[in-house]
Amino acid sequence: MKIARSLSILGLVCLASAANAAEKLTVYSYRQAFLIDPILENFTKETGIDVEVVFSKKGIAERMVREGRLSPADIVLTSDFSRLMELVDKELVVQASSEVLNNNIPTKFRSPDDNWYSLTMRVRNVYSSKERLGKLAIDYEDLSDPKYMGKICTRSGKHPYNISLVASMIAHHGEAETRSWLEGLKANLARKPQGNDRAQVKAVKEGLCDIAIGNSYYLGKMLQDPKQVPWAESVEINFPNQANRGSHINVSGMALAKYAPNKENAIKLMEYLSGDEAQKAYAEVNYEYPINEDVAPSELVASWGDFKADSLPIFKLAEYHKTAVKLLDQVKFDL
Amino acid sequence: MILGLSRSWSFLGYLIAAIITLPLVAIITQALVPDEAVFAHLLETVLPTYVANTLLLMFWVGLGSLIIAIPAAWLVAKCHFPGRRIFQWALLLPLAMPAYVVAYVYTDLLDYAGPLQKLLRELFAWQSPQDYYFPEVRSLGGASLMLSLVLFPYIYLLARTTFMEQSSSLQHAARVMGCGPWRSFWHLSLPMARPALAVGVALVAMETAADFATVSYFAVPTLTTAVYDTWLEYGSLSAAAKLSAIMLLVVFSMIGFERFARRKQQLFQKQTGVNQVELYLLKGMRAKLASGYCSALLFFSFLLPFIILLQYAWEYFDQSWSSAFWEYSLNSLYISGIVSVIAVFIGVLLMFIRRISPRRADLLPSRFASTGYALPGTVLAIGILVPLTYLDFAVNDLYEYLGHRGPGLIFTGSVFVLIFAFCIRFSAIAIGSVESSYKRISPSLDMAAITMGLKPRSLLCRVHIPLLRRGIFAGLLLVFIECMKELPAALLLRPVGFENLATYVFQFVSDEQLEHGALAAIVIVLVGLVPLIYLNRSLEQES
């Protein structure tokens, strides 16, 4: 009986906490909580609106499909573009329609239908060993060149950042050519894809490989951690394809959940995230390129120099997402 | 057993079994839904590798753990050597270590930039990775080793208990007949321990199949990671369910094998504590070898990773010390506490029904209830979310039909779903440990009790439970630690804003900076140690 009683108490607690959750903003985030917590805390300080974050590397769209109209999510934050498109495809998001958002975010970085917005921009860089290669004028296409045999490190091909890069290759070169590029790249790998972008730079420092594929902001993050400073200092950051189409860029973004219980407050948060203060935090704390043109990149990021970005409209990447995953499986990129 | 066990007992058993089997049914139903050729694509490309990796990993970890655990268990149970009393409990410590933490630490030590390879390069003046061969840590072999290091205590615990409780009269008889320690080990102790070893290996293999964090950290794709990716990346629930079904096939054939292997074993051993007089006294070289073996095992499986964790935590203390900490610790603690009590309750109840019911069909509930453990966290999450979501919607529809605002996701959106999932997954552990305790209670005891007019409930409370207390303790302990460490189910099921230690630590591991989460990892380990110490004390008091 005791057990039955404690179970029913537990049940009540669950009910109570579920009821409470409805009065807060709930953010489903593909971005790690500790990256955005400081920004959200400032928002709470300013507005008094509490924000709860569920972080998940994968599967937020799946979760929202399942939760349907009962979903507690107000806003979804993503760390890459394909995730935003997935939300749109599954009809999980809705127009936010806000003047502030439209002013803060340039047209090419938001949906024409107002149902998704970019927050920050990042470049898929090619890092090279200072000691062994120096600064490179390199194209993504060169990564399959046999002269780099056994010299390249990357994270899993199936990570959204890499899928997105592969999708851009398909957009520019077609499926067949991209496939042989992937085969060439796989043959050049120093080791099986593993770890995150940070681990690839570490591997360069260690001498395991000479080239690492990684996002721009990782370099800044590494310079913050005393243990990782030597890794960061062992590499040059290169912006690929500067002589032709420009470097592949990806965006982190946000969208308003279709069944958001607190749409009004949710839009407030979205506006806050695109505003000067939050954009500055993204730039200074996370070393990303702010999407709001009024906000400058951090000094460190600016010191990496200007670059030409691939002009391929970002929504094009979504079209080739599935094909990219298929190619990666076909060439057994991760195995 | 002939006893008038009323139908309501059986009904309760079937009810529990049905609830526990629910996810399994959900998976199979899902697997039958067409999946737009996703599965065919996987089958063509990566699936064979996934299956092979899974099978190889289970094999190597099972074998590795057996080889590590049996000598230690036998030495501790049967021999006298320096440090025995410490090793007796200390060798359980690795159970408290999450495998992915050990994996992270060893990767740091052993990979190209680690101190060992650096030293080798300096010694032999090697310049680059092409100059020499060093086994890759992040590989199938590496993963097998890491998992063996943290999973062997399952076999050790069960084997040690069995060795200790093996009837001393048999042992005595063997000695009188001139049977030395080696012979009595090979011909008496080991064969008699087979049921316990089989249970241990089955546990270890299932843990291995369910492991998510270590293999994903090591980039060794297995079925578990494939289920996760297919569900979340391809967005195909039914293809993921098909993969899950394959996985279940693998696991169930292993369970079947285990049951088959010990189908005719029946053991009636004495339950009155351990007879200390029977220990072999090791001296000189032998004693040193015994102590050395156990020390090395303890060092590599627990002390070394723990010391390195302490060092990380020390270096990064300022970054990692936060108030969130207590919250996550308490979350982990109370979930584990609730689940272990419920699971053991289920275990005792089902095994009791199975033991004394006159109806053959009453064997089934405990069998079915044991299947929960076969469902790895990722698979279980799919199997639970599907039916519980239906339930959530049903409740809300009902509210709305009655003209009220629905309560929202009360099942899938609260800790209920975590507790439910953990109970389903870990009841089998409780059932297993109660079962092996039950095996040691002679049926004649029941008969005696019944002839004295005991009703089923008194038989359970006054006779069985006191005799089962070791099994119950072991069950509580194992379930508790499992809950502290269980990751994939927690990752997939945790409600909004809920974090426990495992999910928190894994965030840092997957971001290649465990240093920042080392403090939380230490708490997982330390909290896991509390029940270990408690269990050990209770075992010692009995002996």
Side-chain angles (χ1 to χ4, degrees):
Chain A
M1 273 309 98
K2 258 186 188 162
I3 288 170
R5 200 179 308 148
S6 50
L7 272 180
S8 55
I9 290 171
L10 179 77
L12 285 176
V13 170
C14 298
L15 280 175
S17 62
N20 259 340
E23 284 145 29
K24 293 175 178 170
L25 273 184
T26 302
V27 173
Y28 279 11
S29 172
Y30 282 111
R31 306 215 65 186
Q32 302 225 1
F34 61 82
L35 291 177
I36 48 172
D37 275 347
I39 299 177
L40 296 176
E41 274 163 26
N42 273 338
F43 174 75
T44 305
K45 236 179 260 166
E46 272 181 28
T47 60
I49 302 170
D50 267 339
V51 184
E52 275 196 311
V53 183
V54 188
F55 160 72
S56 177
K57 277 187 137 170
K58 296 175 177 177
I60 285 175
E62 277 303 320
R63 182 175 185 149
M64 290 173 71
V65 168
R66 179 173 50 74
E67 291 173 343
R69 67 190 158 84
L70 298 180
S71 173
D74 291 297
I75 295 180
V76 190
L77 295 178
T78 76
S79 53
D80 107 313
F81 180 71
S82 61
R83 303 285 198 203
L84 282 175
M85 286 330 284
E86 192 186 5
L87 296 170
V88 174
D89 283 349
K90 295 189 166 151
E91 296 178 6
L92 296 168
V93 293
V94 72
Q95 283 93 343
S97 313
S98 144
E99 274 305 307
V100 181
L101 286 175
N102 290 349
N103 288 335
N104 285 344
I105 302 171
T107 328
K108 62 178 169 182
F109 289 121
R110 57 185 154 87
S111 128
D113 313 325
D114 282 354
N115 56 13
W116 58 265
Y117 298 88
S118 302
L119 275 174
T120 60
M121 220 184 344
R122 55 281 292 282
V123 181
R124 197 82 186 132
N125 289 106
V126 171
Y127 292 101
S128 53
S129 161
K130 258 184 198 158
E131 202 181 288
R132 296 182 295 278
L133 287 177
K135 195 108 182 139
L136 293 179
I138 196 171
D139 291 349
Y140 295 114
E141 287 76 3
D142 299 333
L143 295 175
S144 64
D145 189 326
K147 77 177 170 188
Y148 295 125
M149 181 78 78
K151 298 208 183 308
I152 300 177
C153 283
T154 178
R155 78 189 309 166
S156 162
K158 296 275 212 42
H159 190 277
Y161 300 157
N162 280 341
I163 294 175
S164 173
L165 176 62
V166 174
S168 85
M169 293 297 285
I170 299 172
H172 288 292
H173 299 293
E175 199 175 322
E177 207 173 309
T178 304
R179 187 185 161 137
S180 53
W181 174 72
L182 273 177
E183 279 164 351
L185 173 56
K186 179 169 167 56
N188 283 348
L189 294 181
R191 60 174 184 188
K192 203 168 61 163
Q194 57 188 264
N196 60 1
D197 285 356
R198 201 187 300 262
Q200 315 312 322
V201 173
K202 181 182 176 201
V204 172
K205 155 77 175 124
E206 291 159 359
L208 203 60
C209 39
D210 294 346
I211 285 181
I213 305 174
N215 279 358
S216 48
Y217 55 87
Y218 275 92
L219 194 59
K221 294 300 263 185
M222 282 187 285
L223 288 168
Q224 276 187 327
D225 184 326
K227 188 178 157 190
Q228 299 174 1
V229 169
W231 311 350
E233 285 177 344
S234 72
V235 294
E236 295 280 2
I237 182 166
N238 304 294
F239 292 87
N241 296 68
Q242 289 304 296
N244 42 64
R245 67 174 184 271
S247 303
H248 169 63
I249 55 164
N250 202 331
V251 295
S252 73
M254 60 181 173
L256 180 62
K258 187 172 174 185
Y259 298 106
N262 304 300
K263 284 213 171 67
E264 225 167 277
N265 285 344
I267 292 174
K268 264 188 213 158
L269 177 56
M270 292 172 81
E271 290 173 350
Y272 177 81
L273 291 177
S274 71
D276 289 0
E277 197 180 316
Q279 287 283 306
K280 206 162 153 38
Y282 274 122
E284 298 292 335
V285 182
N286 290 340
Y287 303 103
E288 296 173 78
Y289 293 93
I291 214 81
N292 185 330
E293 286 166 339
D294 297 339
V295 180
S298 78
E299 212 173 298
L300 175 75
V301 173
S303 77
W304 298 334
D306 281 337
F307 66 95
K308 181 179 165 191
D310 191 341
S311 61
L312 181 79
I314 207 148
F315 63 84
K316 277 279 179 199
L317 296 174
E319 283 174 30
Y320 301 105
H321 186 88
K322 280 221 160 109
T323 321
V325 174
K326 197 183 75 188
L327 287 184
L328 285 159
D329 271 345
Q330 278 175 1
V331 304
K332 296 189 178 8
F333 194 82
D334 283 350
L335 301 183
Chain B
M1 180 63 43
I2 298 144
L3 177 70
L5 190 69
S6 73
R7 295 247 172 218
S8 57
W9 285 86
S10 308
F11 177 74
L12 188 60
Y14 276 104
L15 186 69
I16 292 173
I19 292 172
I20 292 182
T21 327
L22 193 65
L24 191 64
V25 177
I27 294 283
I28 293 167
T29 324
Q30 271 299 325
L32 299 175
V33 178
D35 64 39
E36 298 169 11
V38 173
F39 186 74
H41 164 70
L42 291 174
L43 189 63
E44 219 171 85
T45 52
V46 284
L47 191 58
T49 316
Y50 293 166
V51 174
N53 278 350
T54 307
L55 293 176
L56 282 172
L57 198 67
M58 284 163 77
F59 174 77
W60 285 119
V61 177
L63 189 67
S65 310
L66 267 182
I67 292 172
I68 294 175
I70 293 177
W74 194 77
L75 285 170
V76 165
K78 296 280 190 194
C79 303
H80 232 315
F81 60 95
R84 168 181 173 269
R85 291 192 68 85
I86 295 171
F87 293 127
Q88 189 174 347
W89 59 269
L91 286 175
L92 294 174
L93 296 181
L95 266 187
M97 273 278 179
Y100 52 92
V101 169
V102 176
Y104 185 92
V105 167
Y106 274 104
T107 308
D108 236 20
L109 283 178
L110 298 178
D111 73 0
Y112 186 75
L116 183 68
Q117 289 205 46
K118 247 184 207 152
L119 182 74
L120 289 174
R121 281 199 296 276
E122 272 168 31
L123 282 178
F124 299 99
W126 291 322
Q127 299 298 330
S128 73
Q130 281 80 36
D131 292 349
Y132 62 102
Y133 170 77
F134 192 86
E136 172 65 61
V137 194
R138 295 194 185 204
S139 61
L140 188 76
S144 311
L145 195 62
M146 298 303 139
L147 287 167
S148 304
L149 275 182
V150 294
L151 295 177
F152 83 86
Y154 284 117
I155 299 179
Y156 165 79
L157 179 66
L158 292 164
R160 191 195 72 182
T161 313
T162 312
F163 286 148
M164 281 165 82
E165 293 185 347
Q166 276 169 2
S167 161
S168 54
S169 51
L170 270 175
Q171 201 81 28
H172 223 85
R175 266 198 197 186
V176 170
M177 311 274 278
C179 201
W182 280 110
R183 270 179 66 107
S184 96
F185 170 72
W186 285 113
H187 295 286
L188 198 64
S189 296
L190 197 57
M192 278 173 62
R194 231 173 55 201
L197 293 180
V199 174
V201 170
L203 273 173
V204 166
M206 281 192 260
E207 279 293 306
T208 304
D211 174 81
F212 170 78
T214 315
V215 291
S216 69
Y217 183 64
F218 275 6
V220 176
T222 61
L223 280 170
T224 310
T225 50
V227 168
Y228 191 76
D229 285 342
T230 308
W231 183 19
L232 303 181
E233 290 294 343
Y234 282 92
S236 174
L237 188 59
S238 52
K242 285 190 177 72
L243 285 176
S244 306
I246 295 183
M247 178 135 196
L248 293 179
L249 201 67
V250 170
V251 176
F252 281 122
S253 45
M254 203 186 53
I255 297 174
F257 171 76
E258 180 244 333
R259 300 258 169 202
F260 177 78
R262 57 192 178 103
R263 66 198 180 284
K264 282 184 181 158
Q265 293 265 337
Q266 272 194 317
L267 293 174
F268 308 124
Q269 300 176 349
K270 58 184 254 144
Q271 317 100 30
T272 50
V274 186
N275 197 341
Q276 296 286 350
V277 189
E278 299 296 325
L279 294 180
Y280 297 106
L281 190 61
L282 297 186
K283 282 186 187 150
M285 200 55 198
R286 287 182 172 188
K288 277 188 191 134
L289 274 175
S291 303
Y293 176 74
C294 293
S295 313
L297 187 52
L298 181 62
F299 180 76
F300 287 114
S301 61
F302 184 79
L303 290 179
L304 182 64
F306 193 66
I307 290 167
I308 291 175
L309 267 186
L310 285 176
Q311 189 202 337
Y312 287 162
W314 177 254
E315 284 173 10
Y316 286 79
F317 187 79
D318 294 336
Q319 288 102 312
S320 41
W321 179 256
S322 64
S323 63
F325 218 31
W326 281 108
E327 188 193 329
Y328 303 154
S329 310
L330 285 176
N331 281 348
S332 284
L333 267 175
Y334 90 87
I335 297 247
S336 308
I338 292 171
V339 172
S340 51
V341 170
I342 298 176
V344 167
F345 179 79
I346 292 173
V348 172
L349 191 72
L350 293 184
M351 287 315 298
F352 176 72
I353 294 170
R354 169 170 168 182
R355 183 176 168 103
I356 69 164
S357 172
R359 291 176 284 274
R360 276 191 68 84
D362 283 353
L363 279 175
L364 294 175
S366 63
R367 285 280 165 85
F368 277 113
S370 299
T371 56
Y373 195 58
L375 270 62
T378 44
V379 176
L380 179 65
I382 296 180
I384 281 185
L385 284 176
V386 173
L388 279 193
T389 303
Y390 277 118
L391 200 58
D392 264 333
F393 273 88
V395 169
N396 280 278
D397 287 343
L398 184 68
Y399 265 78
E400 277 156 34
Y401 175 74
L402 296 173
H404 297 285
R405 185 164 164 264
L409 299 163
I410 45 170
F411 297 111
T412 56
S414 69
V415 285
F416 174 86
V417 69
L418 271 190
I419 292 174
F420 188 63
F422 285 5
C423 285
I424 289 184
R425 181 150 158 65
F426 298 129
S427 285
I429 298 181
I431 293 172
S433 59
V434 173
E435 181 179 13
S436 62
S437 264
Y438 252 132
K439 287 231 163 94
R440 291 190 290 268
I441 301 178
S442 164
S444 54
L445 252 179
D446 295 9
M447 296 178 196
I450 291 160
T451 48
M452 289 156 88
L454 246 58
K455 292 268 179 293
R457 192 185 294 180
S458 333
L459 176 64
L460 175 63
C461 298
R462 290 168 57 192
V463 181
H464 286 173
I465 289 181
L467 286 172
L468 289 172
R469 63 187 180 277
R470 277 192 199 188
I472 289 173
F473 274 133
L476 281 173
L477 164 78
L478 293 173
V479 174
F480 190 94
I481 297 180
E482 282 301 319
C483 292
M484 288 292 295
K485 292 193 298 180
E486 168 64 33
L487 180 74
L491 268 184
L492 287 165
L493 297 174
R494 74 212 152 110
V496 176
F498 181 93
E499 215 39 274
N500 69 7
L501 290 173
T503 58
Y504 183 66
V505 171
F506 181 68
Q507 262 192 52
F508 289 110
V509 168
S510 66
D511 206 33
E512 309 270 345
Q513 40 186 350
L514 176 61
E515 290 83 352
H516 293 270
L519 212 54
I522 288 174
V523 176
I524 297 188
V525 177
L526 291 183
V527 169
L529 294 185
V530 176
L532 276 175
I533 292 163
Y534 183 66
L535 171 79
N536 184 64
R537 193 175 293 165
S538 80
L539 284 176
E540 277 188 353
Q541 275 166 359
E542 295 201 4
S543 66

